[in-house]
Amino acid sequence: MSDLERVEGWGLSTASLCHVERPTDAEGVRKAFSLAAERGWTVGLRGAGRSYGDASQNDGGLLLDLQEWNRVQGWDPETGIARVDPGVTVEQLWERVVQDGWWPKVVSGTMTPTIGGAAAMNIHGKNAYKVGTIGDWIQGFDLISPSGDLHCSRDENADVFHAAIGGFGELGVMHNISLKNHFVDSGRLMEYPFVEPNLDAMFDHFEELRQDADYCVGWIDAFAGGSSLGRGQIHTANYLSADEDPRGLALRPPDKQRLPDRLFGVIPKSIMWRFVRPFAHPLGMRMINLAKVIAGEYAPGSKSPYHQTHAGFHFLLDFIPDWKLMHGRRGLIQFQPFVPADAARAVFGRLLRMQQERGLVNWLTVMKRHKPDPFLMTHGLDGWSLAQDFNVTDKNRAALWALCRDMTEVVLDAGGRFYPAKDATLTAAQFQRSLGQATISEFRALKKRLDPDTRIQTNLWRRLMA
Ligand SMILES: Cc1cc2nc3c(=O)[nH]c(=O)nc-3n(C[C@H](O)[C@H](O)[C@H](O)COP(=O)(O)OP(=O)(O)OC[C@H]3O[C@@H](n4cnc5c(N)ncnc54)[C@H](O)[C@@H]3O)c2cc1C
């Protein structure tokens, strides 16, 4: 058992002191729950700590870091089903399955999260509108809760299955997670870039493109105003059959997928964020966003389709490890509202204008399309999300939190939702309003059954559900 350790959220804007324990199996978790009960400590769970805010911190209590419990327990290339320990990462999973011609159905924009953490947050990818969330592809898992062990699937303890996925780790430790992967013939995709002059064009073209695309994602220059408000780019990608891409078969081994260690063959990726650091202020970011717009419009070949490996397409953000450090000492928060389809266009326009009016424009804006899923605490809905990275400084912190509070109200009025993995600013009242009291009560009843003493708690739980 460690002395108190400093543990940060990925965005660096929140930190806590916790006793950290690193179990490597189910017995280790059970022992930790008993020890915490003896000492009267609460227990928080942590995967790779890639949630932006306070989801995997437990100030003053015990924190179970599950990263070292990390073996792929089973893999069947006939059915595409993998069975993994909670600490197996998205990277470990794709490395294991890709050589047999499979790829995870749902991956995040970084390959570093654990499957336990991904399941607990019910992550989505750039194909959310088509395949839903990771939970849609999980077949079952075992759950260790303070009141005992359960197996959960759609047929067994289905209520817990649907609440633990997306239940941000509050019902117990998920392990022995089996999930279905997607068969791919080729080790690469065909990617298509598009330039869009404003928000209307972003929405209209995205809606049209996604009908035939396996993946579709938008990027917006949040600094552009007036008639260019919401201008940006859309990238789609499609799987390729063996006939379409016979050479793609040779790209299935993991070493052909791995991202390069050096950019342009020269600069070690690990120091790349330092090159962006001089631009890490509102003017610099306005220039970088503009440069991306200009490059998308005028750079040679910028509008032509091209082949891209699966890893290269999905994990763009991993090309610059630790890029968050460019945000400086106070880091960043992400604000990612999910808004029903009929309201999203007006709401996103309003959010972009609000941040421009207050001089607090976010630096990186990503737009995705989603569909509903059957999980109790889900952020998934028939609509759109807009992920926005806001730089945090001592000086802007109060104003930024006030902006997020006000933007949240706009989203709530439109029937929108939020994603605990990306949140740092919601209040309990706002979060509970987004899901509705019936859902919150149902979740609380399950929590009471599985964790009668509310032993499992994180900072996020205390902020949103206390
Ligand atoms: C650069 C970047 C890009 C991202 N892109 C996306 C994206 O495209 N789509 C998306 O959906 N998300 C995205 N995310 C968010 C990320 O996928 C989620 O925050 C994910 O939950 C992180 O997994 P983790 O292993 O780091 O878990 P942590 O952040 O450590 O924990 C997340 C939650 O899971 C709980 N938990 C952890 N392990 C278990 C377990 N075994 N059983 C039960 N509960 C557990 C924790 O208590 C916590 O509440 C991104 C994050 C980053 C940093």
Side-chain angles (χ1 to χ4, degrees):
M1 179 76 45
S2 72
D3 291 335
L4 288 170
E5 275 181 37
R6 185 183 150 85
V7 179
E8 288 165 338
W10 187 82
L12 302 174
S13 66
T14 55
S16 300
L17 292 174
C18 317
H19 300 279
V20 182
E21 184 71 15
R22 297 182 170 82
T24 53
D25 57 18
E27 204 34 50
V29 171
R30 289 186 202 107
K31 275 191 190 148
F33 277 139
S34 305
L35 181 81
E38 267 167 39
R39 299 195 180 177
W41 284 348
T42 58
V43 183
L45 312 181
R46 185 173 174 94
R50 260 42 182 196
S51 294
Y52 279 65
D54 52 3
S56 50
Q57 300 172 41
N58 182 21
D59 211 5
L62 182 60
L63 190 67
L64 299 189
D65 177 334
L66 298 158
Q67 290 180 96
E68 291 175 17
W69 183 4
N70 61 7
R71 287 182 50 204
V72 176
Q73 295 289 351
W75 163 236
D76 182 350
E78 292 299 313
T79 60
I81 294 172
R83 196 164 49 77
V84 302
D85 288 341
V88 164
T89 58
V90 172
E91 178 175 19
Q92 273 176 279
L93 179 65
W94 73 251
E95 287 209 346
R96 183 63 181 267
V97 305
V98 72
Q99 49 205 319
D100 293 320
W102 298 82
W103 185 258
K105 268 283 183 188
V106 174
V107 296
S108 40
T110 167
M111 61 175 105
T112 52
T114 64
I115 299 302
M121 287 302 186
N122 200 15
I123 65 165
H124 57 265
K126 300 176 180 82
N127 51 356
Y129 60 91
K130 198 164 181 178
V131 307
T133 53
I134 195 169
D136 283 310
W137 302 96
I138 292 179
Q139 305 214 310
F141 53 84
D142 292 327
L143 185 82
I144 308 172
S145 74
S147 59
D149 291 16
L150 287 178
H151 180 72
C152 303
S153 68
R154 284 174 184 77
D155 303 321
E156 215 177 322
N157 296 304
D159 52 351
V160 183
F161 178 84
H162 288 101
I165 292 175
F168 40 94
E170 287 301 329
L171 301 183
V173 175
M174 287 187 261
H175 69 107
N176 200 21
I177 304 166
S178 49
L179 69 172
K180 174 101 176 107
N181 294 279
H182 181 84
F183 186 74
V184 289
D185 273 330
S186 168
R188 55 189 182 175
L189 301 159
M190 184 61 92
E191 190 169 342
Y192 302 81
F194 303 90
V195 175
E196 310 299 340
N198 54 41
L199 198 58
D200 278 335
M202 284 294 293
F203 271 95
D204 291 341
H205 205 189
F206 198 124
E207 204 52 25
E208 183 192 326
L209 289 167
R210 80 179 175 100
Q211 307 304 327
D212 297 319
D214 291 315
Y215 298 96
C216 194
V217 62
W219 164 84
I220 283 178
D221 170 9
F223 290 88
S227 59
S228 299
L229 185 86
R231 75 178 167 199
Q233 295 167 9
I234 299 174
H235 283 241
T236 67
N238 283 78
Y239 297 119
L240 294 164
S241 67
D243 288 346
E244 286 168 311
D245 187 28
R247 289 179 54 210
L249 270 178
L251 295 170
R252 293 201 319 204
D255 60 315
K256 298 282 192 287
Q257 293 284 327
R258 275 186 206 114
L259 306 182
D261 284 337
R262 289 169 183 271
L263 286 183
F264 316 118
V266 185
I267 307 167
K269 275 196 319 184
S270 54
I271 61 162
M272 188 61 197
W273 67 269
R274 293 177 189 279
F275 290 84
V276 194
R277 181 86 178 109
F279 297 92
H281 48 80
L283 182 62
M285 282 298 139
R286 179 184 285 271
M287 285 162 55
I288 288 195
N289 275 266
L290 180 63
K292 187 165 160 61
V293 169
I294 292 170
E297 190 68 58
Y298 302 109
S302 63
K303 292 183 180 165
S304 311
Y306 52 95
H307 285 112
Q308 178 63 283
T309 59
H310 294 281
F313 174 73
H314 289 288
F315 308 125
L316 195 62
L317 293 169
D318 291 338
F319 274 95
I320 307 184
D322 280 336
W323 55 266
K324 65 180 176 182
L325 297 178
M326 74 158 187
H327 277 271
R329 224 158 41 94
R330 298 294 176 215
L332 72 155
I333 56 171
Q334 190 171 101
F335 182 81
Q336 185 180 14
F338 291 70
V339 180
D342 56 357
R345 193 180 295 228
V347 168
F348 289 178
R350 180 136 177 234
L351 300 184
L352 291 170
R353 278 192 299 272
M354 280 169 81
Q355 36 194 282
Q356 292 176 0
E357 281 157 16
R358 298 194 197 186
L360 287 166
V361 178
N362 92 83
W363 291 2
L364 175 65
T365 314
V366 175
M367 179 164 143
K368 288 184 193 143
R369 184 73 165 86
H370 301 266
K371 68 174 195 165
D373 61 62
F375 300 99
L376 186 62
M377 303 289 276
T378 189
H379 54 273
L381 43 62
D382 178 13
W384 302 80
S385 74
L386 199 68
Q388 303 158 72
D389 286 0
F390 287 95
N391 178 242
V392 181
T393 63
D394 287 330
K395 215 167 138 204
N396 80 0
R397 194 177 176 107
L400 182 55
W401 259 246
L403 171 68
C404 291
R405 188 188 59 224
D406 295 348
M407 292 197 298
T408 298
E409 292 300 322
V410 173
V411 172
L412 287 173
D413 287 346
R417 293 186 168 195
F418 296 89
Y419 182 24
K422 304 286 190 73
D423 170 57
T425 62
L426 284 179
T427 64
Q430 289 174 325
F431 180 63
Q432 294 179 26
R433 183 177 158 208
S434 75
L435 290 174
Q437 275 314 319
T439 298
I440 298 290
S441 302
E442 202 177 328
F443 189 74
R444 280 195 200 284
L446 283 170
K447 172 95 174 152
K448 186 124 194 96
R449 197 171 100 205
L450 297 167
D451 181 16
D453 300 325
T454 324
R455 179 76 49 211
I456 305 179
Q457 294 189 24
T458 55
N459 292 9
L460 179 128
W461 167 266
R462 288 185 285 272
R463 179 166 60 86
L464 299 185
M465 295 289 285

